[in-house]
Amino acid sequence: MDISKKLVERCRQGDNKAQFELYKLYSDAMYNVSCRVIPDTMEAEDAMQEAFFKAFDKIDTFRGEVTFGAWLKRIVVNTCLDHLKRKKVLTVSLDETPGLSDDVSDEVDYDPESVEEVKQALNKLPEGYKLVLSLRLIDGYEYEEIATMMGIAQSTVRSQYVRAKRKLVELLKNKI
């Protein structure tokens, strides 16, 4: 039995030290996930903390069908999305990005020179675009999963994703 499974079992028995150990084990990774969804680092940290509280509160629902980290990551993403829904920044109106077609092709032809360049360009994207792009490219969620998490149509997610990629490429080609 791996360490996280043992810690989960101890958490189920009410062991606060095990909760702290799980927190130490996963907090950095979950903070990074949270920061990809919520751009403000303080808000991202608050959302991550809230997600850990939710996870420990619902630890009995963890069935081990996926890794604890994957289960926790889903809680973190959903908590961050809830946070953004309260702030109403999940989607960007199609009118906010003139010049981008509605074509939902995944073809994007650009080879960025550096990771830093991509990070800078990502930070310039509208929040809704950045969110969909991060959930799809970085976190690996499918369109249907993102649509469910965000409470929007799958076609909206797909077009947001394509528009986000195009906007990112445009920023990169223009050297941000």
Side-chain angles (χ1 to χ4, degrees):
M1 183 181 285
D2 73 34
I3 185 113
S4 61
K5 286 182 183 179
K6 290 176 185 175
L7 290 171
V8 168
E9 286 307 314
R10 287 177 43 207
C11 285
R12 286 184 171 147
Q13 297 167 3
D15 185 339
N16 291 337
K17 288 181 182 178
Q19 286 182 348
F20 182 68
E21 290 299 316
L22 273 176
Y23 178 83
K24 285 192 328 189
L25 193 60
Y26 288 97
S27 62
D28 288 344
M30 295 307 124
Y31 176 71
N32 288 331
V33 168
S34 188
C35 283
R36 285 195 303 266
V37 178
I38 300 174
D40 181 276
T41 57
M42 296 297 280
E43 289 181 30
E45 186 171 354
D46 287 346
M48 180 203 67
Q49 296 289 340
E50 182 182 337
F52 269 97
F53 285 123
K54 286 179 182 179
F56 292 139
D57 189 47
K58 303 288 185 188
I59 196 88
D60 288 333
T61 66
F62 175 65
R63 300 286 173 235
E65 295 164 355
V66 295
T67 65
F68 178 77
W71 181 79
L72 180 60
K73 180 179 176 183
R74 177 68 80 140
I75 293 171
V76 169
V77 168
N78 286 334
T79 301
C80 290
L81 291 173
D82 289 344
H83 176 83
L84 292 175
K85 283 177 188 173
R86 288 191 294 270
K87 294 185 93 176
K88 298 183 181 177
V89 295
L90 280 182
T91 57
V92 174
S93 166
L94 300 181
D95 298 332
E96 287 184 40
T97 312
L100 293 178
S101 75
D102 289 340
D103 180 5
V104 291
S105 166
D106 272 346
E107 295 299 317
V108 175
D109 187 26
Y110 182 74
D111 185 22
E113 294 175 19
S114 75
V115 171
E116 194 55 42
E117 206 176 274
V118 174
K119 285 180 183 178
Q120 288 175 5
L122 273 171
N123 286 331
K124 291 191 181 260
L125 289 176
E127 292 306 317
Y129 281 7
K130 185 167 36 172
L131 176 62
V132 170
L133 199 64
S134 293
L135 290 172
R136 178 82 173 128
L137 289 179
I138 298 170
D139 295 321
Y141 289 107
E142 298 296 326
Y143 295 116
E144 185 177 341
E145 293 174 299
I146 297 168
T148 300
M149 287 188 281
M150 293 177 68
I152 58 177
Q154 187 173 338
S155 59
T156 302
V157 170
R158 188 165 172 78
S159 63
Q160 287 274 60
Y161 170 71
V162 170
R163 291 167 193 273
K165 281 176 68 174
R166 288 201 179 135
K167 184 66 176 172
L168 181 65
V169 168
E170 179 184 309
L171 289 168
L172 291 168
K173 284 184 178 178
N174 293 329
K175 296 296 180 183
I176 307 152

